[in-house]
């Protein structure tokens, strides 16, 4: 916690004076107190929230220190004595409730330190959360619970108000991701209102991903607070990867590591080249209309019925069926930047793909501009981590989480 926040400043300023600290020799507040090896006293101190603190954010965690202890446990209860669920954080110095606390409610936190000889010391603080704030930031997940997506799908979180840069690290720490494959990944801020997450490599096919946005009551700058907590469980589908080579005018389709189809294509002509880079399928439309008359005018513009359209960029590049160019597909580029395939291959691809399936286009005259679509995979890992609000540290190999029964 940092002093730029008024509530954090108050908490930190009062730590020495207000925090309850108990050692094994205390005759008040300690539970079975004693000394550790060599007579060292066992002690526990709650750093925040400070004892009797008021107006504590509903997102608060319990931070503490221990001395000469091998283990520490934290318990949080409301005024009625109901235990609040939560987890000890990886740093071993803080404990986070499983969800936002109730507004305007008094809680009691207890930290118990246990020494090697089994003797204990307990520190206890009581605090009261703030009233429900009038200024709340809406937090949303693009993906819905239970959705099945492609191996290139970024996790996308959006905020109803731009998060100031000096609050983004606090917000990012409350966005957690668990993959059944134990994959390493990181969040990347696209803007103040949108942050994405991708693993170092494509998601493992047929794995599951659970992410939690623990933003309810979280300070987000200028007197604004996160509105809610959100938990989303998704499934990753088969590995379905498309690669287009301008030199051969062919799309190679690989499913779970095996080439299953080679498709002739026509890419963008010289005046409107397709973008080279790695994109993912953003949306799918069985039937739509491409209308550029207003944008390009009557001489260059067109209005055309399109079938089996799969969006790749915000700028208007799609994979789609183009029966009018079937005669040159595999030989010449005649499109306005899209990946043209035959009607039969358009229907086949449309039936195979999911949102988030990746496609890489190679060898065209124009490079894909990052931000023109979900271009998370168009950046190297080293480039991607630069978008994190928290310095990146390579983690040890993760252990896959157990698959759900059934």
């Amino acid at each position: 916690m940092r002093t730029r926040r008024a509530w954090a400043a108050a908490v930190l300023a009062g730590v020495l004076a207000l925090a309850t600290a108990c050692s094994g020799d205390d005759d008040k507040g300690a539970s079975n107190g004693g000394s550790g090896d060599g007579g060292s006293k066992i002690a526990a101190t709650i750093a925040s929230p400070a004892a009797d603190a008021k107006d504590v954010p509903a997102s608060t965690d319990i931070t503490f220190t221990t001395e000469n202890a091998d283990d520490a446990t934290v318990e949080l209860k409301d005024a009625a004595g109901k235990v609040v669920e939560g987890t000890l954080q990886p740093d071993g110095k803080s404990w986070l409730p499983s969800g936002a606390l109730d507004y305007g409610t008094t809680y009691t936190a207890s930290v118990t330190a246990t020494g090697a000889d089994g003797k204990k010391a307990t520190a206890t603080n009581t605090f009261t959360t703030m009233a429900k704030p009038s200024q709340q930031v809406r937090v949303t997940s693009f993906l819905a619970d239970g959705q099945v997506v492609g191996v290139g799908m970024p996790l996308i979180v959006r905020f109803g108000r731009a998060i100031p840069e000096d609050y983004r690290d606090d917000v990012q720490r409350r966005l957690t991701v668990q993959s059944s494959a134990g994959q390493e990944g990181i969040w990347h801020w696209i803007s103040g209102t949108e942050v994405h997450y991708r693993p170092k490599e494509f998601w493992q096919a047929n794995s599951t991903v659970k992410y939690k946005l623990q933003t309810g009551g979280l300070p987000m700058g200028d007197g604004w607070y996160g509105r809610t907590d959100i938990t989303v469980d998704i499934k990753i589908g088969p590995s379905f990867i498309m690669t287009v080579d301008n030199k051969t005018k062919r799309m190679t389709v690989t499913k779970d590591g095996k080439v299953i189809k080679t498709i002739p294509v026509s890419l963008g002509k010289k005046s409107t080249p397709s973008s080279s880079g790695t994109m993912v399928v953003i949306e799918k439309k069985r039937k739509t209309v491409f209308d550029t008359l207003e944008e390009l005018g009557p001489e260059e513009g067109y209005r055309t019925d399109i079938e089996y359209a799969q969006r790749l960029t915000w700028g208007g590049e799609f994979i789609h069926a183009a029966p009018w160019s079937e005669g040159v597909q595999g030989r010449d580029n005649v499109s306005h930047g899209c990946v043209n395939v035959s009607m039969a291959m358009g229907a086949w691809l449309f039936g195979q793909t999911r949102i988030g399936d990746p496609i890489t286009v190679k060898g065209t005259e124009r490079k894909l501009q990052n931000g023109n679509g979900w271009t998370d995979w168009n950046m190297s890992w080293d480039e991607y981590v630069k978008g994190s609000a928290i310095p990146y540290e390579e983690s040890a190999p993760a252990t896959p989480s157990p698959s759900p029964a059934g």
Side-chain angles (χ1 to χ4, degrees), residues 125-249:
N125 277 8
T126 297
F127 63 91
T128 303
T129 55
M130 65 187 295
K132 185 176 181 178
S134 59
Q135 299 183 132
Q136 294 184 304
V137 179
R138 187 182 182 204
V139 183
T140 58
S141 165
F142 176 82
L143 295 176
D145 209 31
Q147 196 165 348
V148 182
V149 297
V151 297
M153 184 69 209
L155 310 182
I156 300 173
V157 175
R158 292 172 177 151
F159 304 94
R161 179 182 183 274
I163 308 302
E165 287 190 12
D166 60 345
Y167 279 79
R168 293 179 193 175
D169 58 341
D170 289 342
V171 172
Q172 188 173 321
R173 288 186 180 93
R174 295 301 181 91
L175 311 180
T176 57
V177 181
Q178 290 182 311
S179 162
S180 64
Q183 290 184 256
E184 177 183 6
I186 200 166
W187 293 96
H188 176 101
W189 289 83
I190 304 299
S191 67
T193 59
E194 186 167 324
V195 63
H196 290 195
Y197 181 99
R198 56 156 272 202
K200 197 169 186 179
E201 307 292 342
F202 286 145
W203 295 110
Q204 184 171 305
N206 305 310
S207 62
T208 57
V209 177
K210 178 177 183 176
Y211 56 105
K212 186 172 185 177
L213 319 177
Q214 199 161 342
T215 51
L218 184 67
M220 293 186 175
D222 304 322
W224 290 79
Y225 297 81
R227 182 180 296 178
T228 54
D229 294 334
I230 300 173
T231 300
V232 181
D233 290 271
I234 62 171
K235 183 175 180 180
I236 308 301
S239 175
F240 191 89
I241 299 173
M242 297 163 280
T243 304
V244 177
D245 190 337
N246 185 38
K247 185 176 181 180
T248 63
K249 309 284 190 292

Side-chain angles (χ1 to χ4, degrees), residues 289-304:
V289 176
F290 288 179
D291 189 342
T292 64
L293 289 174
E294 182 176 345
E295 176 187 356
L296 302 178
E299 293 186 5
E300 294 292 330
Y302 55 90
R303 190 176 193 278
T304 306

Side-chain angles (χ1 to χ4, degrees), residues 85-97:
E85 298 296 325
T87 55
L88 190 66
Q89 297 303 286
D91 62 7
K93 299 177 181 178
S94 61
W95 181 92
L96 184 65

Side-chain angles (χ1 to χ4, degrees), residues 298-336:
E299 293 186 5
E300 294 292 330
Y302 55 90
R303 190 176 193 278
T304 306
D305 293 331
I306 300 292
E307 296 191 56
Y308 305 112
Q310 304 190 57
R311 180 184 288 276
L312 305 178
T313 72
W314 304 128
E317 295 181 46
F318 289 74
I319 305 168
H320 67 82
W324 55 86
S325 70
E326 287 187 15
V328 299
Q329 289 171 14
R331 297 200 319 268
D332 298 315
N333 291 335
V334 297
S335 83
H336 289 83

